[in-house]
Amino acid sequence: MRIHFIAIGGAAMHNLALAVASKKGYIVTGSDDEIFDPALSHLRDAGLLPDQIGWHPERITPDIDAIILGMHAREDNPELIRARELGIRIYSFPEYLYEQTRDKIRIVVGGSHGKTTTTSMILYVLQRLGIEADYMVGAQIEGFERMVRLSDTAKYAVFEGDEYLTSPLDLRSKFLWYHPHIAILTGIAWDHINVFPTFPQYVDTFRRFVDSFEQRGKFIYFQGDDNLTDIASHAREDIVCLPYHEYEGPVQMQVFGKHNMQNLQAACLACMQIGVSAEDFYREISTFTGASNRLEKICETSSSVAYKDFAHSPSKLKATVNAVRERYPEKKLVACMELHTFSSLMADFLPQYKGCMAEADIAYVYFNPKVIEHKRLTPITADEVRQAFGSTNVEVFTDSPALQERLRSLNYDNTALLMMSSGTFDGIDVRSFATELLNA
């Protein structure tokens, strides 16, 4: 079986390529117009790194059995055009995952926030209990070799369910492909304004997700979210609805914050549906320290601590800032975030950030105007961003060196530092930088 990946350099795509390449009898090739670490190193180590960067339609030949198309590619991609001319079967990333797990019990975790953490919790407990599962998760988990696994032996498949677009050829949400037997929705807070221009449109894709469940599917949802409660009340009659709140039990956990306690309870309910006892779940999850880049501790001294987080949407940002404030009420909280995604850089969406960083003592917001230009968005100003956040503690930067200089000027005695971005603040090694700041 020969499979070619168009846009192999993405985080999920290169992990899927590695998983497919590990299957007996599969030959994997790929292409992309840019590949960066860690994908670059992972693909090179596996012998899958393309020998030339760019698109090469002459390499799309009739002996290729299937194409897997990444979201990064465009509809006019020359390799995609050639594959369609030849009539080669083209899969999107989620479509291929579904095809490979069609005969398994599928557990899918969706929602505007907490997807990666909740999926990681489920996988962590299953692994510690010796329960084999295929999976796709959006971050590296300690003890797991990669972010995607496909096998011929696992009875279960656990997927992080993203509501973003499937592919350039399929503008539906990714999670609509998975048809879960068991699914979690953690909450709905408007995101991806470039795809869902209004909040009702955004909510509707979650309704359609619940409609996509297998017969007698289990719907696990956070009862504190009015939109989820409404969706549950209108779910198909065969669907079993299981509401949850945050965990408040006696077992001491390594993770913290209200959202993590909600995620933990959702993960427990999902595991219970496949026979895991609550007692076994809580015992094993008590040693879980989190997924990579999800409220991850990156440095600690005798008086100070630093975390990094993937938070970028308003709901994630507010939950992360509040969680660190609750964890360290006596420390000065310095919170720094980057506006990096399409939604976060759109003027119409900025008001959603109002009050998100109010709990920080010092709050810095960074964005690069060149990224806005590259994404072909309407320019925004630092003053517009400051007004949108709506709290006097917020200072806005559009120059990364200036932001770094300001952070270096602070005293970090008795401080909690929080660095939040889905990017890199234009080239900052956040772990090294935080270590430098706390040990200065």
Side-chain angles (χ1 to χ4, degrees):
M1 177 69 72
R2 187 174 172 209
I3 299 180
H4 182 79
F5 285 73
I6 297 178
I8 197 172
M13 283 286 282
H14 91 269
N15 273 280
L16 178 59
L18 295 171
V20 172
S22 69
K23 293 173 70 72
K24 185 177 179 180
Y26 281 69
I27 299 171
V28 170
T29 58
S31 59
D32 213 321
D33 58 355
E34 56 181 16
I35 304 177
F36 303 109
D37 273 328
L40 183 71
S41 298
H42 292 165
L43 291 171
R44 181 192 294 122
D45 292 346
L48 300 180
L49 186 67
D51 55 11
Q52 287 182 290
I53 293 297
W55 314 116
H56 302 279
E58 69 277 4
R59 298 186 179 183
I60 306 302
T61 53
D63 60 331
I64 293 176
D65 295 287
I67 297 286
I68 299 180
L69 178 65
M71 191 62 211
H72 167 62
R74 298 182 183 274
E75 192 172 359
D76 62 356
N77 182 283
E79 292 189 5
L80 174 60
I81 292 172
R82 179 60 176 155
R84 297 176 84 174
E85 289 173 348
L86 293 173
I88 299 172
R89 180 71 164 91
I90 298 169
Y91 292 94
S92 65
F93 178 95
E95 181 183 8
Y96 190 77
L97 285 178
Y98 172 73
E99 289 296 330
Q100 292 292 303
T101 59
R102 183 186 287 271
D103 298 326
K104 302 176 187 288
I105 295 173
R106 291 176 300 281
I107 303 171
V108 179
V109 181
S112 303
H113 46 253
K115 293 185 292 292
T116 300
T117 298
T118 307
T119 309
S120 300
M121 287 174 170
I122 293 169
L123 291 171
Y124 182 84
V125 169
L126 294 185
Q127 185 187 63
R128 288 181 63 87
L129 293 175
I131 299 173
E132 185 184 8
D134 290 349
Y135 58 83
M136 186 280 292
V137 62
Q140 196 65 46
I141 313 172
E142 185 178 350
F144 288 75
E145 183 179 359
R146 55 179 70 105
M147 294 160 55
V148 179
R149 179 184 190 264
L150 295 173
S151 73
D152 296 324
T153 54
K155 179 179 179 181
Y156 305 103
V158 183
F159 296 153
E160 178 177 333
D162 186 0
E163 72 272 21
Y164 200 67
L165 301 180
T166 291
S167 82
L169 303 181
D170 185 349
L171 302 184
R172 293 172 293 176
S173 293
K174 288 186 179 77
F175 59 21
L176 297 179
W177 272 103
Y178 296 141
H179 304 291
H181 300 85
I182 302 161
I184 294 168
L185 285 180
T186 60
I188 300 178
W190 195 18
D191 200 358
H192 309 306
I193 188 176
N194 55 313
V195 177
F196 306 102
T198 68
F199 183 63
Q201 288 175 306
Y202 185 64
V203 173
D204 186 61
T205 201
F206 291 95
R207 293 187 191 279
R208 286 185 281 126
F209 173 60
V210 175
D211 286 341
S212 76
F213 289 9
E214 294 283 6
Q215 286 294 309
R216 296 178 295 281
K218 307 290 182 64
F219 177 30
I220 300 167
Y221 68 97
F222 178 55
Q223 196 169 20
D225 186 301
D226 291 341
N227 289 293
L228 290 180
T229 300
D230 182 66
I231 290 173
S233 69
H234 293 92
R236 292 195 324 257
E237 289 185 3
D238 64 286
I239 292 175
V240 178
C241 296
L242 302 169
Y244 69 89
H245 288 288
E246 62 193 69
Y247 172 71
E248 296 180 337
V251 180
Q252 186 67 38
M253 301 296 168
Q254 299 294 315
V255 294
F256 60 91
K258 289 182 178 178
H259 273 222
N260 270 333
M261 294 303 101
Q262 293 165 13
N263 297 336
L264 189 150
Q265 193 63 19
C268 179
L269 275 175
C271 287
M272 289 173 67
Q273 305 314 303
I274 60 171
V276 175
S277 70
E279 181 182 10
D280 285 347
F281 177 88
Y282 294 133
R283 182 187 66 247
E284 301 303 339
I285 202 64
S286 66
T287 58
F288 177 75
T289 57
S292 176
N293 292 322
R294 270 64 178 183
L295 203 48
E296 178 184 1
K297 186 187 293 185
I298 54 176
C299 181
E300 188 169 22
T301 68
S302 58
S303 68
S304 298
V305 64
Y307 287 86
K308 68 174 180 176
D309 194 88
F310 194 70
H312 52 84
S313 70
S315 62
K316 297 172 186 174
L317 178 62
K318 185 173 183 177
T320 300
V321 171
N322 290 355
V324 175
R325 165 55 70 212
E326 291 169 8
R327 180 76 165 187
Y328 302 101
E330 303 303 320
K331 292 186 184 297
K332 177 176 66 178
L333 174 53
V334 178
C336 183
M337 75 87 61
E338 178 182 15
L339 299 173
H340 186 70
T341 64
F342 270 98
S343 292
S344 67
L345 292 168
M346 295 179 75
D348 290 345
F349 190 74
L350 282 175
Q352 302 296 317
Y353 284 99
K354 185 174 183 179
C356 284
M357 300 180 79
E359 288 297 316
D361 295 293
I362 298 173
Y364 298 140
V365 177
Y366 170 74
F367 72 93
N368 185 343
K370 291 182 180 179
V371 172
I372 297 175
E373 183 180 343
H374 176 72
K375 294 180 185 290
R376 299 177 182 178
L377 297 172
T378 302
I380 57 176
T381 68
D383 190 55
E384 287 175 321
V385 172
R386 186 182 305 107
Q387 290 184 34
F389 274 79
S391 52
T392 57
N393 60 336
V394 172
E395 185 175 358
V396 181
F397 293 82
T398 59
D399 178 73
S400 183
L403 170 65
Q404 294 173 56
E405 182 179 352
R406 179 60 56 85
L407 285 165
R408 287 191 177 100
S409 73
L410 301 179
N411 184 323
Y412 289 92
D413 289 340
N414 194 36
T415 295
L417 172 65
L418 180 55
M419 302 289 287
M420 298 167 288
S421 177
S422 60
T424 65
F425 294 93
D426 287 321
I428 297 178
D429 182 328
V430 172
R431 187 182 299 272
S432 298
F433 186 57
T435 301
E436 171 199 333
L437 293 178
L438 266 58
N439 287 281

